[in-house]
Amino acid sequence: MTRIRHPVHRRDGQLLEARSWAVGSATSNGSQTDHGRDAMTKSTRNLVRAGIAVALLATTLPTAACTSKATAPPATVSAAPAPPSPLIRKLRMPDTLLGLPRNMDREAIDAAKRHLDTLKREVAPVTSAVGWAYGNNGPDADMVFITGVSGTVTDQQGIIERSLQPYRIESHKPVDPGDLGGTARCGQGRFDKESYLVACAWADDQTVGIVAFLSSRPQADRTAQFLEVRRAMTENTA
């Protein structure tokens, strides 16, 4: 700070000198004020600029996001329909067959299950296995024996041929397999001198079974009853 003095001999010169000093001081302070103002202006300007930049960024990003959503909505991709699940076919034992109840005679049950192990070896893996007898005991009673397994069947015709061999039938012929498809054959024979036998077998991709009709009287064609029993034994699950 530069002090300016004027040589005044009057008493009020002190006042003038003081005023001059004050003026010089004020001038010097004004100069400092100007420098401070310039420094503050630069600093403030930088802060303002930074604030504006942040504000613009904060307002631009949501706007850009909104604009992006408005102008370029995400494409909707339609999912392809899933292929239908293949049906799994298994066998079951109904409470009744052709109006006949389950027979609880041990000898009759064992007769129905006699060839079950042989059938199990024809499929792999085995997913179900049934064997039972239906009918009432008596001299004139009709009996129905069922034996069957489910799994993977690869040789339908060969399995049918082998399945019917244990039964006392002279020959067998192809019959309609019905709405369940596959291959089916039936043949007639005699179980003993007093019993007449009709044995039918079927095989499809997943099941194989035998239905044997035993009666004390000669029997006519049993294809319709055979298909009814097969439907009653078969269950399809997804």
Side-chain angles (χ1 to χ4, degrees):
M1 179 180 66
T2 305
R3 174 174 290 185
I4 303 174
R5 294 181 181 274
H6 296 276
V8 180
H9 299 284
R10 291 181 298 180
R11 183 176 180 81
D12 56 354
Q14 296 177 355
L15 178 61
L16 293 174
E17 183 180 357
R19 288 179 180 176
S20 297
W21 181 87
V23 170
S25 177
T27 303
S28 177
N29 288 339
S31 177
Q32 288 183 350
T33 302
D34 291 339
H35 287 293
R37 185 180 297 120
D38 292 340
M40 183 181 68
T41 302
K42 292 180 181 180
S43 177
T44 303
R45 188 181 300 115
N46 291 336
L47 288 175
V48 171
R49 288 176 179 174
I52 292 174
V54 172
L56 289 175
L57 181 63
T59 56
T60 302
L61 288 178
T63 304
C66 294
T67 304
S68 177
K69 290 181 179 179
T71 58
T76 301
V77 179
S78 300
S85 301
L87 293 178
I88 299 175
R89 185 171 290 181
K90 294 183 179 181
L91 299 180
R92 62 188 182 93
M93 292 187 300
D95 293 333
T96 61
L97 280 177
L98 304 176
L100 301 174
R102 288 187 186 181
N103 191 300
M104 304 309 296
D105 181 74
R106 176 52 56 185
E107 186 177 354
I109 297 172
D110 290 342
K113 294 182 177 182
R114 185 171 301 160
H115 306 298
L116 191 57
D117 289 339
T118 303
L119 286 184
K120 288 180 179 180
R121 289 192 290 268
E122 295 284 359
V123 301
V126 177
T127 57
S128 65
V130 297
W132 209 267
Y134 291 78
N136 297 315
N137 292 326
D140 297 326
D142 287 341
M143 298 282 293
V144 178
F145 299 85
I146 63 170
T147 308
V149 296
S150 65
T152 302
V153 179
T154 58
D155 181 14
Q156 296 181 17
Q157 189 62 46
I159 288 178
I160 289 179
E161 294 283 349
R162 292 187 293 273
S163 299
L164 290 175
Q165 284 179 0
Y167 294 88
R168 298 176 182 177
I169 54 176
E170 296 179 358
S171 63
H172 46 77
K173 61 181 181 180
V175 297
D176 180 14
D179 54 359
L180 294 176
T183 305
R185 301 180 74 90
C186 288
Q188 294 186 352
R190 297 289 297 268
F191 185 73
D192 54 36
K193 293 182 180 181
E194 298 178 355
S195 299
Y196 295 86
L197 173 69
V198 174
C200 298
W202 87 84
D204 55 46
D205 291 339
Q206 299 183 60
T207 64
V208 56
I210 304 102
V211 181
F213 301 91
L214 192 63
S215 177
S216 60
R217 299 175 298 276
Q219 302 188 65
D221 182 78
R222 288 279 195 165
T223 302
Q225 290 82 5
F226 160 65
L227 296 179
E228 183 178 345
V229 171
R230 183 189 177 189
R231 284 192 297 269
M233 293 174 59
T234 303
E235 59 180 0
N236 295 321
T237 58

